[in-house]
Amino acid sequence: MAGLLYRLGRFAARRHWYVIVAWVLLLALGGVGYSLFAGTTSSNITIPGTATAKVQDELADKFPKASGGSGTIVFATKDDSAFTDAQKADIKSFLGDIDDVTAVKSTVNPFTTESDLEAQRQKITDGRSQIADGKQQIADAQTQLDAGKQQLEAAQQQLDTQKAQAEAAGQLPAVQAQLDAGQAQLDAQQQQITSGQATIDANTTKLQQQATELEQGADLLDLSKNVRFVSKDDSAAVATVQFSKSTYDVPQASKTKIGAMADDARIAGVDVQVSNDIAQGVPSVLGPGEIIGVVIAAIVLVIMLGTIIGAALPLVSAILGVGVASLAALSFSSLVEFTSVTPVLGVMLGLAVGIDYSLFILNRHRAQLKQGMGVHESIGLANGTSGNAVVFAGATVVVALLALNITGVPFLGLMGTVGAVAVAVAILVATTFTPAVMSLLGMRLLRKKERAAIGTTGATRVPNAPMNTVRAIVTLVLGIAVLGTIALPAMQMRLGLPDGSSEAVGSSQYNAFKTVEDKFGAGQNGPLVAVATLPSRISDADVTATEVTIGKAIAKSDDVSAVAPIGASSDNSVIAFQVIPKGGPSSVSTENLVKDLRDLSVQVDGGTTTLGVAGNASANIDVSEKLANVLPLYLVVVVGLSLIILIIVFRSILVPITATVGFILSLLASFGGLTAIYQFGWLSAVFGTHDPGPILSFLPIIEIGILFGLAMDYQLFLVSGMRESFAHGAPAKIAVQRGVHAGRAVVTAAAIIMMSVFAGFIFSDSSTIKPIGFGLAFGVMVDAFVVRMLLIPAAMHLLGTSAWWFPKWLDRIVPDVDVEGAKLERSHPGTERGPGPGTGHGTERGTARDGVEPEHHGSHAAPTAVDAPAHATEHTSHGSHAAPIAEDASAHHTGHGPAHRA
């Protein structure tokens, strides 16, 4: 690989305009692809196959009319007074305009809905009064009928007595006709009484049925009494916007238009705010914080490189790579659903690693130029050595990000893939475009004083004494204790997705969320949909009774504020309810409620009914649980990958273990910092966490993938210097100091740059981007400056020679990876001396034309002495990982342990 990159660097140097134009064309091609094929990004974060997704599919099948998504528009009077009739009329007109927006099915006027609810409650009151009156009328009729019955019975007795007396007197034939007439009259009266009783009985049954239905309706109204569309003080109202599609499938243009209409609403004395479902869009990539982060990175580059033109090169390279990768990825957004945070993550990573990777190669090139190496040869050698390390380090980041696909979470896998593409493009830019521009700029990458001193710089002394052992022990113990303390809050980490409360204070969605919370209760911001699948179909007459039975069972939970029936499916096999929790959408109580409802079983019609739960709060819970479940698997894969890669690179067992333990420490500390700031609300004034809540559900997995790759970068650029120094004869403990000395400057600059870029996103307007920026910035800081700069050197010092122990059988089968390109350097013992100061661009054979044989003056010039002390004093260190090469047998192989040392 080193040889290939050397040739690639030489080619880019000779044909710099071809390479530069090729990248510009790629950027233009990406722009064309984006303009032709780009789709819309979505704020939807879902996972197929979750419990919520299954319920949503059932709703779409059984309740097609209600399958579209919805959002809310909140109206509130500015002075907290009751709405006037004029304001209500203006709100009605405004909602009528919203009806005309594309993808809007209808709007629900809150005043009309609240009036309807009041009318229904009044109907219950009136109905109860009417039923009471009916009962009284029936009772009166029954009293009259009973009196008639008594009179008829008395008349019948009198007639029977008369008949008996006539028969006893032998006068029956004479009075028979009169008696029969009297009996017929009594029979007619009896018929009337029987008919009247039947009527009373029928009316009683009907009244009882009406009373039952009325009370069932009253029960349903009572269950939903806390569901309001206008606040009790009549100062706030919530209108519903019903979409024709799922909320997340609604075109962003339609949501943007609704938001703009709300901003432009001219309703006197009324604030109009839209909910998070409508206002949430694509996060801004270039805000003030992001620009400040890039500016800080530029300042670090200027300080380190000493020239503005040199500092501009890594920035231009990174921006080019980000542009190509982002445009290329988004060109597929019409085919694959992109979450809104996906391209932002690609930009974040592309900028950070793009600057660092170009810096590593540029720094090596400048060091070689200062030693007198020719421009083209220096570019080739820098690309073959530092560029080789960049490729390997970048490959670890790419692999870690691509491994996100094993989680089985589509949106997470896509995020990893887009991030991996951004890093891969950054590698290609660093190893092709950067060498081309370095060739174009020639010696101008050095300051005038540096050009004047070319070839005259003396050897740089390197450490020849080991670290103090007591200091190493104290550093290790204290460092682990500090990181462990920082990590403690992570034990209470909760995962979730952002809601309106985590948006920027003063934003439309934040104001809408807070108004609803204050005026209607926290649960109104996160209603749930409970779907009851019945054991068998029921009749239309039994629907209301079944709704009451299930509704009362749901309402028994202490965490339920209200239950409102949505309706039954056309075949009466499924009944749906809206459930308003007492807590907010991200509260622990709501999470517990979702679990309780899913465990609830209700006896209906001789069978058992179970509930499914859907809604934004439910979906957030499912996504968070799914990600929490795959987190251990991904961590195991990444840790295992870490061990394998480091064993191959360093040909050691203990070095990979210490590196992996260090990675876990920095990761846990990063989780602890995230939890303390974004969940507990510590330092809220600094980081803008005005409403602390759960940690972004997919952030831990993203952090594992990205921090693993970056940690391996720093491990590689520091410990490989220790390894090379040890392999070439330096005692193990001195080799530790030399490795740190050789790599600390460039790693420090790289870490500060990466922290600056990530930290710029902390102050983004997006509640999703903020914690990602902090987590990565804090993780890089901890890993680079605490773990890699302090703990790893201390641990390596204490391990001594045993750190490089490697079983012979494993040494035979593990491939030899020359990450630093040491073999390439040894294969180029002579290099051209570049032009002297003030001569402008370098030439391939600048000194040969003057009849002077080119000499080797690279950053890894071999010392003439062959003994170990001579190595210690003559070793020059001008690259990121300079290593002395002895003029003995050990100089002709890489050496991988004590057995290979001279």
Side-chain angles (χ1 to χ4, degrees):
M1 176 62 77
L4 175 63
L5 289 171
Y6 169 80
R7 292 190 295 273
L8 181 62
R10 291 288 298 245
F11 171 81
R14 291 193 305 269
R15 302 286 186 268
H16 49 256
W17 280 117
Y18 289 102
V19 175
I20 293 171
V21 171
W23 275 109
V24 172
L25 289 176
L26 282 176
L27 181 63
L29 186 62
V32 172
Y34 175 78
S35 62
L36 294 177
F37 305 111
T40 58
T41 59
S42 167
S43 56
N44 182 19
I45 298 178
T46 59
I47 300 177
T50 62
T52 296
K54 293 176 181 178
V55 173
Q56 289 174 334
D57 292 341
E58 186 176 20
L59 283 172
D61 180 46
K62 299 292 186 179
F63 299 88
K65 292 183 179 179
S67 60
S70 64
T72 56
I73 301 177
V74 180
F75 304 91
T77 58
K78 295 180 183 294
D79 57 0
D80 214 29
S81 61
F83 289 104
T84 64
D85 291 338
Q87 289 170 336
K88 292 179 181 179
D90 288 342
I91 290 173
K92 180 179 180 180
S93 176
F94 172 80
L95 293 176
D97 294 337
I98 297 294
D99 280 332
D100 297 331
V101 176
T102 304
V104 173
K105 183 189 297 182
S106 63
T107 57
V108 179
N109 188 319
F111 303 105
T112 302
T113 306
E114 195 67 38
S115 177
D116 291 343
L117 287 174
E118 289 297 331
Q120 290 179 21
R121 294 186 180 98
Q122 187 60 45
K123 282 182 179 180
I124 295 294
T125 302
D126 294 343
R128 284 172 172 166
S129 178
Q130 291 172 1
I131 286 175
D133 292 342
K135 287 182 177 180
Q136 186 60 48
Q137 292 174 4
I138 289 175
D140 292 343
Q142 186 67 54
T143 299
Q144 293 177 1
L145 190 65
D146 290 342
K149 284 182 180 180
Q150 291 177 357
Q151 292 175 2
L152 184 62
E153 289 175 357
Q156 183 68 51
Q157 288 177 358
Q158 184 179 3
L159 184 64
D160 291 342
T161 300
Q162 290 175 357
K163 182 179 181 179
Q165 290 174 351
E167 187 176 6
Q171 297 177 354
L172 183 60
V175 297
Q176 186 65 51
Q178 183 180 357
L179 291 174
D180 289 343
Q183 186 63 54
Q185 185 178 6
L186 291 177
D187 289 343
Q189 291 177 358
Q190 181 62 49
Q191 184 64 34
Q192 290 176 352
I193 288 174
T194 302
S195 177
Q197 186 63 57
T199 299
I200 289 174
D201 290 343
N203 288 338
T204 300
T205 301
K206 183 178 181 180
L207 195 62
Q208 288 175 344
Q209 184 179 355
Q210 290 175 343
T212 300
E213 291 176 354
L214 184 69
E215 292 307 317
Q216 289 175 344
D219 287 340
L220 292 179
L221 278 177
D222 187 57
L223 289 172
S224 62
K225 64 183 179 182
N226 290 329
V227 178
R228 297 190 61 89
F229 296 87
V230 179
S231 62
K232 291 181 179 180
D233 62 1
D234 205 30
S235 66
V238 178
T240 301
V241 179
Q242 188 70 34
F243 296 112
S244 56
K245 301 178 180 179
S246 168
T247 305
Y248 301 114
D249 293 329
V250 175
Q252 188 60 42
S254 296
K255 294 182 178 181
T256 302
K257 186 173 182 179
I258 294 174
M261 291 173 69
D263 292 338
D264 297 337
R266 296 294 181 264
I267 304 176
V270 175
D271 290 324
V272 183
Q273 312 288 351
V274 295
S275 69
N276 211 37
D277 294 327
I278 297 174
Q280 191 177 56
V282 180
S284 172
V285 176
L286 283 179
E290 292 86 343
I291 294 175
I292 291 173
V294 174
V295 169
I296 294 174
I299 293 172
V300 173
L301 288 170
V302 171
I303 293 173
M304 179 180 182
L305 300 176
T307 64
I308 295 177
I309 194 170
L313 176 54
L315 289 173
V316 172
S317 298
I319 292 171
L320 173 66
V322 166
V324 171
S326 299
L327 292 173
L330 288 173
S331 297
F332 293 91
S333 57
S334 60
L335 302 176
V336 182
E337 184 182 49
F338 273 60
T339 59
S340 56
V341 72
T342 299
V344 179
L345 182 65
V347 170
M348 194 184 299
L349 278 175
L351 277 176
V353 302
I355 294 173
D356 278 1
Y357 292 166
S358 291
L359 172 63
F360 291 144
I361 297 174
L362 175 61
N363 185 61
R364 180 62 171 264
H365 173 57
R366 291 181 74 255
Q368 293 170 168
L369 288 181
K370 286 187 286 185
Q371 288 298 306
M373 189 178 295
V375 173
H376 287 187
E377 178 65 16
S378 176
I379 291 173
L381 194 59
N383 216 44
T385 52
S386 290
N388 194 40
V390 161
V391 170
F392 188 86
T396 63
V397 183
V398 170
V399 171
L401 289 171
L402 289 177
L404 287 170
N405 288 278
I406 70 171
T407 62
V409 181
F411 82 87
L412 198 59
L414 182 61
M415 289 176 67
T417 300
V418 171
V421 169
V423 174
V425 172
I427 295 171
L428 291 174
V429 169
T431 54
T432 57
F433 179 81
T434 298
V437 178
M438 289 193 303
S439 173
L440 184 65
L441 297 176
M443 301 302 293
R444 284 175 289 177
L445 288 171
L446 300 179
R447 289 174 295 175
K448 290 183 179 180
K449 290 183 178 180
E450 291 173 330
R451 293 199 295 268
I454 287 177
T456 63
T457 57
T460 301
R461 295 187 63 83
V462 295
N464 197 28
M467 180 190 306
N468 182 278
T469 299
V470 174
R471 175 188 169 191
I473 295 173
V474 171
T475 299
L476 194 62
V477 173
L478 188 60
I480 292 175
V482 169
L483 293 182
T485 302
I486 297 174
L488 286 177
M491 298 176 65
Q492 301 179 51
M493 178 187 287
R494 290 180 57 236
L495 300 180
L497 294 175
D499 53 34
S501 66
S502 57
E503 298 295 335
V505 175
S507 65
S508 181
Q509 53 267 53
Y510 180 83
N511 291 338
F513 187 94
K514 285 300 181 181
T515 299
V516 171
E517 184 178 70
D518 294 341
K519 298 291 185 178
F520 299 90
Q524 202 98 352
N525 278 308
L528 304 172
V529 178
V531 177
T533 303
L534 304 178
S536 60
R537 297 180 181 180
I538 58 176
S539 64
D540 292 341
D542 292 333
V543 169
T544 303
T546 305
E547 287 178 337
V548 171
T549 300
I550 299 174
K552 286 184 175 180
I554 294 173
K556 287 181 180 179
S557 173
D558 293 335
D559 295 322
V560 172
S561 174
V563 180
I566 295 175
S569 60
S570 57
D571 59 0
N572 290 341
S573 64
V574 174
I575 297 178
F577 300 84
Q578 185 183 64
V579 181
I580 307 297
K582 288 184 178 178
S586 60
S587 67
V588 176
S589 63
T590 301
E591 182 177 346
N592 293 334
L593 175 59
V594 171
K595 296 176 181 178
D596 291 343
L597 291 179
R598 287 173 175 169
D599 293 337
L600 181 65
S601 59
V602 184
Q603 294 300 315
V604 176
D605 197 24
T608 300
T609 296
T610 56
L611 298 178
V613 183
N616 289 342
S618 170
N620 291 352
I621 291 169
D622 286 345
V623 169
S624 300
E625 285 188 350
K626 173 69 174 178
L627 294 176
N629 290 337
V630 300
L631 181 62
L633 169 65
Y634 184 66
L635 182 59
V636 168
V637 170
V638 168
V639 169
L641 183 65
S642 168
L643 288 172
I644 294 172
I645 290 175
L646 293 178
I647 286 174
I648 294 174
V649 172
F650 297 116
R651 308 187 78 80
S652 165
I653 300 298
L654 294 181
V655 170
I657 291 176
T658 57
T660 303
V661 171
F663 160 66
I664 294 174
L665 282 173
S666 59
L667 182 68
L668 292 177
S670 176
F671 287 171
L674 276 167
T675 305
I677 290 172
Y678 291 95
Q679 183 176 318
F680 295 169
W682 297 358
L683 300 176
S684 58
V686 176
F687 295 97
T689 51
H690 43 79
D691 290 77
I695 301 303
L696 192 63
S697 56
F698 57 84
L699 180 51
I701 289 184
I702 289 292
E703 282 237 350
I704 290 174
I706 296 175
L707 287 182
F708 160 72
L710 301 181
M712 295 309 101
D713 283 0
Y714 301 137
Q715 181 79 8
L716 175 66
F717 283 103
L718 283 172
V719 180
S720 60
M722 303 177 191
R723 172 180 172 272
E724 286 298 318
S725 183
F726 176 71
H728 290 123
K733 295 185 178 182
I734 293 178
V736 171
Q737 292 293 80
R738 291 181 180 176
V740 174
H741 182 270
R744 64 187 177 188
V746 70
V747 169
T748 297
I752 292 175
I753 290 170
M754 199 165 287
M755 285 167 51
S756 301
V757 173
F758 289 148
F761 289 85
I762 295 175
F763 305 100
S764 166
D765 290 336
S766 171
S767 56
T768 303
I769 299 300
K770 285 181 178 181
I772 295 179
F774 173 83
L776 294 178
F778 187 69
V780 166
M781 181 185 73
V782 169
D783 193 83
F785 295 111
V786 179
V787 174
R788 306 303 155 188
M789 294 282 201
L790 296 177
L791 299 188
I792 292 299
M796 294 287 289
H797 173 87
L798 295 175
L799 288 173
T801 304
S802 61
W804 302 107
W805 172 79
F806 199 55
K808 292 183 179 179
W809 64 270
L810 195 57
D811 182 58
R812 290 192 296 269
I813 62 176
V814 171
D816 183 6
V817 180
D818 184 18
V819 176
E820 284 294 299
K823 292 180 180 179
L824 175 67
E825 289 185 290
R826 288 193 292 273
S827 68
H828 291 74
T831 55
E832 301 88 339
R833 184 186 299 273
T839 60
H841 298 300
T843 59
E844 192 88 28
R845 297 285 177 182
T847 55
R849 290 184 307 208
D850 298 325
V852 182
E853 186 66 20
E855 298 175 352
H856 178 58
H857 294 280
S859 62
H860 292 273
T864 56
V866 296
D867 58 324
H871 286 299
T873 57
E874 296 297 322
H875 171 202
T876 60
S877 176
H878 300 284
S880 60
H881 298 287
I885 303 175
E887 293 289 346
D888 56 13
S890 65
H892 300 287
H893 60 79
T894 57
H896 305 295
H900 295 277
R901 284 192 294 140

